[in-house]
Amino acid sequence: MNLALWICAGLLAAVALAGGISKTFVPKETLAAAHGGGWTEGVGVGFVKTLGVLELLAALGLILPAALDIAPALVPVTAVCWVLLMIGAMVTHGRLGESRFVLLNLAYLALAAFIAWGRFGPNSFTG
């Protein structure tokens, strides 16, 4: 179970890192032109960059606290925050009729929920 949780955390951290880098460093116009980037048209540059920074922090928060054994309880907290972020993403993509992205976000949400459940519960770092 511990290995499965680490694998899920690594996968989700990679997703968060990729999304964070693109939202933080790629111009909003370029993101808007990409497949699934239509959500950026109704928001400001600052909002997109803020989401990018939050995703970068999530990538760090899913791995580093446990790997460095410094406040490992932050891993499930980060996973819960990711669940909330994915709910927002699902609502946004749903409003735009992008059902494929809703399903993708649901998969990310499921991974984060599994991590939160496992790290708060049976495979916590403190137990």
Side-chain angles (χ1 to χ4, degrees), residues 77-93:
V77 171
T78 302
V80 168
C81 291
W82 188 265
V83 166
L84 297 174
L85 186 65
M86 289 302 100
I87 290 170
M90 289 168 61
V91 169
T92 301
H93 286 295

Side-chain angles (χ1 to χ4, degrees), residues 3-77:
L3 180 60
L5 288 164
W6 271 107
I7 290 169
C8 288
L11 289 172
L12 202 56
V15 167
L17 183 63
I21 288 172
S22 67
K23 289 178 185 79
T24 304
F25 300 109
V26 174
K28 181 183 156 192
E29 297 75 26
T30 306
L31 287 176
H35 183 61
W39 65 272
T40 60
E41 294 177 16
V43 298
V45 173
F47 182 76
V48 175
K49 302 264 185 237
T50 300
L51 283 178
V53 169
L54 289 174
E55 289 183 16
L56 291 173
L57 291 173
L60 295 174
L62 287 166
I63 302 294
L64 286 183
L68 299 176
D69 198 26
I70 300 173
L74 287 177
V75 172
V77 171

